[in-house]
Amino acid sequence: MDKLLIHGGRRLQGDVRISGAKNAALPILCAGLLVPGTLELSNVPQLQDVGTTLKLLERMGVKSTRDVAAGTVTLDGSSVTSTEAAYDLVKTMRASILVLGPLVARFGEARVSLPGGCAIGQRPVDQHIKGLQALGARIDIEHGYVIARASRLRGTKIVTDMVTVTGTENLMMAATLAEGETVIENAAREPEVVDLANALIALGARIRGAGTDRIVIEGVDALHGGAHRVMSDRIETGTFLCAVAAAGGDLRLTHCEPDTLDATLDKLREAGLRIECGPDWIRGTMDGRPKSVNVRTAPYPGFATDMQAQMMAVNCVADGTGVITETIFENRFMHVQEMRRLGAEIDTEGTTAVVRGKRGLSGAIVMATDLRASAGLVIAGLVADGDTLVDRVYHLDRGYDRMERKLAAVGASIERVRTVDDA
Ligand code: UD1
């Protein structure tokens, strides 16, 4: 099992090229199921989750060609032979549920394993199901699978009970091939929803309102082939900014989209990071110690829950006390226990964490528990005195494109250690 060995205390200096967004790439790959033709994608990140999604699609008969180094993927959905997403792949990646909407919309049937329990919270898919039922699909849950059937979906008005990102995406994809107009109210406004909508529009879908809480989709009989460039990863961008805010230094992030991370930039400015932005780059400079900030996660454009662990790492070494409130997932403080192993002073009560910043942390062995938690631990390790060994980095590999290489290239002492499995 791979681990990351970090020797803390180095400042970060240089340029980092930001990759395509995981949370945009995954739904857009699933959109390939809607097309009886080719979907050409560029700026696709090198991630475990992208590989898993391609495997899932290939099993259904979608042909894919990938040039990993160039970041391109071409999908051909003209000869889909199966409408099943089996448990062995779905269990490793919750986003697999995103095949449900496209499959039932184009083929009138889908059999998709229910995603298992997820460490960061219950994460049910009831809203995906409720929305598809409103679109006229019959849904049964049998033997751990969601089975959806419909002759053709019918446009309707859907109001989701809460803001759900993949729920909005699944329903938006399904509605592209429904008969008539679908309105999704209380839609997620995340930039990745907009990127998916743009990809679908390039494939012939009629969508307006993406980026607002009311998305209107005019169903068409069929989509056609097309091309799309995946947006840049705002969470990766924010993660590197947190790294420089905590470790100090001067980083210039290129190929990014500064206007997709206003809430993160505001908080980091408050923490003392000097930020300059161009159209597709951000420079973050930090000289002294960061100042503590209070953070409350919220759906976009609020502060992203996917940035919470990284901002907590900044607070761990900041001057003062910061209060972090997690409002999206009920169990997303698993990194707290690991950060304490590095000497951090954090108290939690329910979904609130009070972080008393300390001048330094001390290196230790820690365990990554989920994707963003891993990034928080890496940041803490960059600041800690001595060696930090982050175990279970497969979590990090799911969603970060060669993070340790990017960090090493800007001066961090970090290396991947391969060990024979020690279970
Ligand atoms: C997506 C992101 C994930 C991010 C999250 C919140 C992808 C692939 N993943 O996850 O990185 O952390 O948004 O920004 O884009 N809920 C229900 N029923 C549902 C759906 C959701 O109760 O049917 C609840 C969830 O348990 C959670 C909240 O709604 O409490 C938001 O979840 P949601 O936006 O759906 O997260 P994901 O789309 O899974």
Side-chain angles (χ1 to χ4, degrees):
M1 211 182 278
D2 287 8
K3 301 175 171 56
L4 288 179
L5 178 64
I6 307 169
H7 190 78
R10 304 264 187 97
R11 287 166 63 82
L12 304 177
Q13 174 97 35
D15 285 7
V16 178
R17 185 188 171 126
I18 297 300
S19 300
K22 166 179 104 65
N23 286 355
L26 302 185
I28 293 170
L29 288 169
C30 294
L33 283 169
L34 288 164
V35 190
T38 56
L39 167 56
E40 288 169 35
L41 297 174
S42 53
N43 205 31
V44 178
Q46 283 188 38
L47 307 173
Q48 195 66 45
D49 275 7
V50 167
T52 307
T53 306
L54 290 176
K55 214 181 277 178
L56 191 68
L57 296 177
E58 275 159 20
R59 279 202 202 164
M60 295 172 187
V62 176
K63 296 196 183 63
S64 71
T65 332
R66 182 177 187 195
D67 182 335
V68 175
T72 57
V73 171
T74 301
L75 297 177
D76 182 351
S78 53
S79 48
V80 170
T81 48
S82 155
T83 53
E84 173 165 325
Y87 176 73
D88 65 319
L89 286 179
V90 174
K91 72 171 184 204
T92 66
M93 192 187 61
R94 197 190 131 80
S96 315
I97 193 72
L98 285 163
V99 300
L100 183 64
L103 285 174
V104 70
R106 181 164 160 222
F107 303 103
E109 58 174 39
R111 189 165 182 272
V112 179
S113 172
L114 274 169
C118 172
I120 64 175
Q122 286 193 33
R123 302 181 84 177
V125 291
D126 56 307
Q127 300 303 308
H128 303 237
I129 289 172
K130 182 181 116 170
L132 287 174
Q133 282 171 329
L135 285 163
R138 269 177 301 125
I139 309 263
D140 296 297
I141 311 286
E142 282 171 20
H143 308 296
Y145 279 75
V146 183
I147 298 169
R149 295 186 193 89
S151 46
R152 182 168 182 195
L153 297 177
R154 285 184 317 275
T156 187
K157 181 171 167 179
I158 302 167
V159 187
T160 56
D161 294 358
M162 79 287 293
V163 177
T164 155
V165 178
T166 49
T168 301
E169 292 167 342
N170 229 342
L171 299 174
M172 182 167 73
M173 287 193 280
T176 59
L177 294 181
E179 193 181 333
E181 184 182 271
T182 300
V183 179
I184 306 174
E185 301 268 13
N186 200 24
R189 291 178 284 167
E190 267 67 3
E192 293 77 10
V193 174
V194 179
D195 204 42
L196 171 64
N198 288 338
L200 292 167
I201 290 166
L203 299 171
R206 295 209 196 127
I207 301 172
R208 53 182 202 276
T212 73
D213 61 3
R214 184 172 192 273
I215 302 179
V216 181
I217 305 115
E218 196 67 56
V220 295
D221 289 339
L223 299 185
H224 52 67
H228 181 76
R229 181 181 168 81
V230 176
M231 68 175 288
S232 81
D233 199 315
R234 64 193 168 99
I235 306 300
E236 186 193 20
T237 310
T239 301
F240 277 97
L241 289 172
C242 284
V244 71
D250 186 354
L251 281 191
R252 207 172 78 100
L253 311 178
T254 67
H255 300 80
C256 61
E257 294 175 39
D259 54 0
T260 59
L261 64 163
D262 287 341
T264 301
L265 295 182
D266 279 355
K267 279 295 157 192
L268 285 169
R269 275 194 193 98
E270 199 182 318
L273 185 71
R274 272 205 315 284
I275 295 176
E276 277 174 74
C277 294
D280 63 352
W281 56 267
I282 303 177
R283 182 175 172 198
T285 318
M286 189 72 163
D287 290 325
R289 193 176 160 203
K291 292 191 282 285
S292 290
V293 289
N294 297 334
V295 167
R296 188 181 178 83
T297 62
Y300 191 84
F303 189 89
T305 174
D306 285 352
M307 284 302 307
Q308 182 253 107
Q310 303 89 313
M311 196 55 109
M312 187 178 290
V314 176
N315 268 347
C316 286
V317 292
D319 184 17
T321 297
V323 178
I324 296 187
T325 310
E326 172 58 55
T327 74
I328 309 290
F329 294 112
E330 65 274 17
N331 187 25
R332 211 175 193 179
F333 280 151
M334 283 172 304
H335 41 281
V336 165
Q337 206 175 328
E338 301 302 307
M339 286 178 181
R340 282 190 194 129
R341 295 178 53 75
L342 297 168
E345 278 188 30
I346 309 169
D347 288 321
T348 55
E349 172 136 9
T351 54
T352 300
V354 178
V355 187
R356 273 179 300 280
K358 292 177 72 175
R359 217 162 249 293
L361 299 176
S362 66
I365 298 175
V366 290
M367 195 173 75
T369 49
D370 66 69
L371 170 54
R372 307 302 171 185
S374 331
L377 293 174
V378 168
I379 294 171
L382 293 175
V383 193
D385 194 30
D387 286 344
T388 294
L389 191 67
V390 183
D391 200 352
R392 302 203 175 168
V393 285
Y394 57 84
H395 288 294
L396 195 78
D397 296 335
R398 282 190 46 214
Y400 283 94
D401 188 346
R402 294 158 294 166
M403 188 185 199
E404 80 274 13
R405 286 201 222 163
K406 292 187 184 186
L407 281 170
V410 292
S413 168
I414 178 168
E415 64 177 306
R416 186 171 287 256
V417 191
R418 294 219 151 86
T419 51
V420 182
D421 208 329
D422 40 359

